[in-house]
Amino acid sequence: MQEANAFLILVGLATLAFAWVLMPFLGAVFWAVIIVIMFYPLFEKVTQRLNGHASVASLVTVLIVVLIVVLPLLLIAVAMIQEATSVLTTIQTDDTALQSLFNRVFAVLPNWLTSLLGWLGFSDLAAVQASVAEAVSGWIGMIAPQVLSIGQSTVSFFVSLFAMLYLTFFFFRDGERLIGYIKKASPLRPGMQDALLARFTLVVRATVKGDILIAMLQGGLGGLGFWVLGIRATILWTVLMCFLSLLPVFGAALVWLPFAIYFLATGAIWQGAGLMIYGLLVIGLVDNFVRPLLVSQATKMPEFVVLISTLGGVATFGLQGFITGPVIAAMFIAVWATFIGRDEV
């Protein structure tokens, strides 16, 4: 008995040590697992076409992922960084334009809103403008180094990208064998193992399809509207709307609504009204019509879980937390659903 306990302690220590060594690449491991879960049906089809040659099928599937996912995202990221740098530089060097913007917006505020601001203690609009401008400048100053540092960590990024694709290849090829090892080491009975794996895969796929694809669609539609209206840095705002669309209730409106208000405040009535109608009737309703086609009610995460997990993911993991947070929440739901129904499996 003592020998068994000692060996278990040794196994635990070795596992922790290995996890510590892998710490810099945990993100690569995480994304490799997500890619394999999403594209495993494609891998199986490619394997069948290649008469069971798993290594070649794995390589082909990874190349397909690179062509349809990785390369487009890299091109978008480069364009976004360039536009973000330009916008940040313009805002930082042109304080008069920012002040003029606030003047125009507050000049068209209705009387009831002005009275409400006075009741809330914001009767001095000049002070409010100064406070908001200072907050915006502080926010810009905070994120500017992060945006610019992306270009300075190119080597680290591509090392992680290579590690992710390398792991993805082996996870495709040896995935079933690795799962078999995990099942042998797991103290759970076989029925619960299968139920947990099936539910985990189902919920993660539903989360990616239901949240990420819809967010991309909403962001893309928003970007199209911005392009038609001639708004600068369209790619930057499109990407921002994609991320914010993961937040329930408000979502992409946090981007397009301020622009609509700006148009109205500056006398561009048709542009402002058109953007507001487009945002409400097209961008805002995508979720209601598209999500049911992609995700069943049984696998849809509650909106409050999506909101909390997204915000928590951003606070913990940074920008990629917009996706990492909901995926971890999906894992949480899968584990607890299996635990609650353990007597049935």
Side-chain angles (χ1 to χ4, degrees):
M1 187 65 180
Q2 291 181 346
E3 181 181 354
N5 291 336
F7 187 71
L8 286 177
I9 293 174
L10 180 61
V11 170
L13 291 175
T15 303
L16 290 175
F18 184 64
W20 179 65
V21 171
L22 292 181
M23 191 68 68
F25 297 100
L26 284 183
V29 175
F30 174 84
W31 287 111
V33 171
I34 297 302
I35 290 174
V36 170
I37 290 175
M38 294 305 302
F39 288 91
Y40 201 79
L42 174 62
F43 167 71
E44 291 180 323
K45 292 180 180 179
V46 174
T47 303
Q48 291 176 356
R49 290 290 184 91
L50 296 175
N51 299 321
H53 294 287
S55 295
V56 180
S58 179
L59 179 60
V60 171
T61 308
V62 171
L63 291 176
I64 293 174
V65 171
V66 170
L67 289 175
I68 68 175
V69 177
V70 177
L71 284 181
L73 288 179
L74 286 177
L75 294 175
I76 292 173
V78 171
M80 183 196 69
I81 291 171
Q82 292 176 344
E83 291 187 352
T85 304
S86 175
V87 170
L88 294 176
T89 303
T90 301
I91 292 177
Q92 287 179 320
T93 58
D94 194 357
D95 293 335
T96 57
L98 188 61
Q99 188 68 32
S100 175
L101 171 61
F102 284 121
N103 288 335
R104 292 179 181 180
V105 172
F106 282 110
V108 298
L109 289 178
N111 293 331
W112 65 267
L113 185 53
T114 304
S115 302
L116 178 61
L117 289 173
W119 181 74
L120 293 174
F122 298 106
S123 56
D124 186 358
L125 293 183
V128 174
Q129 294 172 14
S131 299
V132 174
E134 182 180 355
V136 171
S137 299
W139 179 73
I140 294 296
M142 179 182 67
I143 69 169
Q146 298 181 19
V147 173
L148 297 176
S149 67
I150 295 176
Q152 299 172 358
S153 57
T154 304
V155 174
S156 175
F157 169 78
F158 279 102
V159 168
S160 297
L161 178 61
F162 173 78
M164 182 196 73
L165 295 175
Y166 187 77
L167 289 171
T168 301
F169 170 83
F170 284 102
F171 287 169
F172 274 131
R173 193 190 69 175
D174 304 324
E176 292 186 2
R177 190 190 316 168
L178 293 174
I179 291 175
Y181 291 148
I182 294 174
K183 286 182 176 181
K184 287 182 180 180
S186 173
L188 302 177
R189 59 180 182 271
M192 186 175 292
Q193 291 177 356
D194 295 336
L196 178 60
L197 180 61
R199 186 171 282 118
F200 169 73
T201 303
L202 183 65
V203 174
V204 169
R205 284 178 180 164
T207 300
V208 173
K209 289 194 301 181
D211 293 324
I212 297 175
L213 293 183
I214 290 175
M216 292 173 63
L217 181 58
Q218 287 184 312
L221 289 172
L224 178 62
F226 277 32
W227 177 76
V228 171
L229 292 173
I231 297 175
R232 286 182 53 195
T234 302
I235 296 177
L236 171 63
W237 304 124
T238 299
V239 173
L240 190 57
M241 279 188 280
C242 287
F243 281 115
L244 293 179
S245 293
L246 293 169
L247 298 176
V249 183
F250 305 106
L254 293 173
V255 178
W256 63 257
L257 184 57
F259 278 95
I261 295 174
Y262 168 75
F263 280 127
L264 295 174
T266 54
I269 304 299
W270 288 109
Q271 290 90 331
L275 182 57
M276 193 164 292
I277 294 172
Y278 180 77
L280 291 173
L281 298 183
V282 179
I283 302 175
L285 294 182
V286 164
D287 187 77
N288 296 330
F289 289 101
V290 178
R291 189 182 295 274
L293 299 176
L294 297 177
V295 185
S296 66
Q297 287 297 119
T299 56
K300 179 183 177 182
M301 282 200 299
E303 289 191 350
F304 73 91
V305 175
V306 176
L307 177 62
I308 296 300
S309 61
T310 301
L311 296 177
V314 172
T316 305
F317 302 105
L319 194 60
Q320 71 168 346
F322 274 100
I323 300 174
T324 308
V327 169
I328 292 177
M331 299 180 191
F332 171 82
I333 290 175
V335 171
W336 272 94
T338 305
F339 175 75
I340 293 172
R342 64 189 183 280
D343 295 331
E344 302 174 3
V345 294

